[in-house]
Amino acid sequence: MAERICLITGISGQDGGYLGEQLAAEGSVVHGLVRPGDNATADLAGRLPGVTLHETDLRDTAAVGSLITRIAPDEVYNLAGISSVAQSWAQPVLTGEISGVAVAGVLQACWELQEATGRPVRVVQAASAEIFGNPVTSPQDEGTPIAPVNPYGAAKAYAHHLVGVYAQRGLHAVSAILYNHESPRRPDTFVTRKITRGAALIARGEATELALGNLDARRDWGWAPDYVDAMVRAARHDAGGSYVIATGIPHSVREFVAAAFTAAGIDDWERYVRVDPAFVRPVDAVELAGDAGRARTELGWSPTVGFDELVRRMVEVDLV
Ligand code: GDP
């Protein structure tokens, strides 16, 4: 069999890095798209030596289209985008352009490549639980109404619908509805890393407090490499479709804090944590928890790392 050619957009992010490693390890030819001027590029080239990096702005649909035509990938993983809800409030237009409209360019280019070569092109779009907004039912599944409550969720919802459109057009297109997934590679713009880093600094005597926002929000946190593996499985399944990828078990931010401080050797976390209204969001889903039943049945996927182990792994890295 000819070598499998894969393209990852957003390869400099948490998921892109894990995915690049997984695909390179299995012997696939890996290309990665990076934002022009991305500081992470040099470091990435060192970490993923076999991977060919392309500096292309995802919003430049002509450039993305010609890149896809030129490398003729078998699989495309669209992970690029504005990665946080907080950033999407600050930059709603950019969020719509990168996490929404640009996805049309990727899907169209893949469809045209498939038409031209007669070879299937499989596309996985990284969607998000944020497309469900503040859902009234929990856990959510692929049939839950799409009703985003922030610019990030709205852009991802548009892209999710577009995946369905291209799937009807004959593309093996997948919308992977990823719930929060974390690792020591998470930047501390996300609450998990902010907490584990904060707990470690306090344990080492290098900080005295940690300021957070809503401690009551409940999220379904999983281990990022598991979610990357789910995307690969979905790309290689018989048909495209939507898959909720989640552990199914939500925890509050407060529980995450308690677990992280315990892992850092501190029992009385309340002494160190302060709620700062600056970190409380204008609208925040009360609880997001996903039912990954379809992924379990159709893709044979299930999470391998539970909550306590996830927290422990993150704290361990921050304590070093
Ligand atoms: P998101 O789900 O992609 O927005 O991931 P985050 O890790 O940024 O946020 C997860 C939850 O943690 C949300 O409900 C936030 O409101 C809540 N949260 C509470 N305090 C903080 C904080 O200080 N920073 C961030 N980023 N989130 C916080």
Side-chain angles (χ1 to χ4, degrees), residues 197-260:
R197 187 171 279 171
L201 285 173
I202 292 168
R204 286 206 303 260
E206 291 167 25
T208 51
E209 69 163 25
L210 173 63
L212 294 170
N214 180 10
L215 299 184
D216 297 316
R218 293 172 62 79
R219 293 290 180 274
D220 180 337
W221 284 290
W223 175 239
D226 282 344
Y227 291 58
V228 161
D229 180 53
M231 288 193 271
V232 175
R233 286 171 186 254
R236 298 176 188 173
H237 188 54
D238 310 338
S242 306
Y243 293 98
V244 161
I245 307 299
T247 71
I249 306 169
H251 291 273
S252 65
V253 172
R254 189 186 309 280
E255 286 163 356
F256 197 104
V257 169

Side-chain angles (χ1 to χ4, degrees), residues 27 64 117 183 196 206:
V64 171
T117 60
S183 76
T196 60
E206 291 167 25

Side-chain angles (χ1 to χ4, degrees), residues 15 24 30 32 94 160 162 180 192 211 251 273 286:
D15 297 357
V30 183
L94 186 69
H160 170 81
L162 212 52
N180 298 56
T192 51
H251 291 273
V273 173
V286 176

Side-chain angles (χ1 to χ4, degrees), residues 110-310:
C110 291
W111 185 77
E112 285 175 9
L113 175 66
Q114 179 170 290
E115 287 289 292
T117 60
R119 271 195 307 119
V121 181
R122 294 156 180 260
V123 186
V124 179
Q125 161 66 13
S128 159
E130 289 289 338
I131 66 175
F132 299 133
N134 200 349
V136 286
T137 53
S138 190
Q140 302 83 48
D141 62 22
E142 296 81 1
T144 300
I146 293 169
V149 293
N150 54 56
Y152 174 85
K156 289 283 190 187
Y158 167 73
H160 170 81
H161 287 311
L162 212 52
V163 165
V165 169
Y166 275 84
Q168 284 177 39
R169 225 177 160 189
L171 199 62
H172 179 113
V174 173
S175 184
I177 306 170
L178 308 173
Y179 280 62
N180 298 56
H181 48 288
E182 316 296 315
S183 76
R185 297 186 190 175
R186 256 309 194 206
D188 62 11
T189 43
F190 289 86
V191 77
T192 51
R193 191 69 195 285
K194 186 175 170 183
I195 295 168
T196 60
R197 187 171 279 171
L201 285 173
I202 292 168
R204 286 206 303 260
E206 291 167 25
T208 51
E209 69 163 25
L210 173 63
L212 294 170
N214 180 10
L215 299 184
D216 297 316
R218 293 172 62 79
R219 293 290 180 274
D220 180 337
W221 284 290
W223 175 239
D226 282 344
Y227 291 58
V228 161
D229 180 53
M231 288 193 271
V232 175
R233 286 171 186 254
R236 298 176 188 173
H237 188 54
D238 310 338
S242 306
Y243 293 98
V244 161
I245 307 299
T247 71
I249 306 169
H251 291 273
S252 65
V253 172
R254 189 186 309 280
E255 286 163 356
F256 197 104
V257 169
F261 275 75
T262 302
I266 301 169
D267 292 328
D268 52 349
W269 65 267
E270 287 93 341
R271 272 183 56 201
Y272 303 99
V273 173
R274 177 171 65 81
V275 171
D276 182 339
F279 296 115
V280 178
R281 297 183 181 172
V283 192
D284 201 23
V286 176
E287 175 172 296
L288 290 173
D291 174 355
R294 181 185 287 175
R296 195 177 316 113
T297 312
E298 293 186 13
L299 308 178
W301 179 84
S302 56
T304 66
V305 178
F307 179 76
D308 290 326
E309 175 66 13
L310 165 68

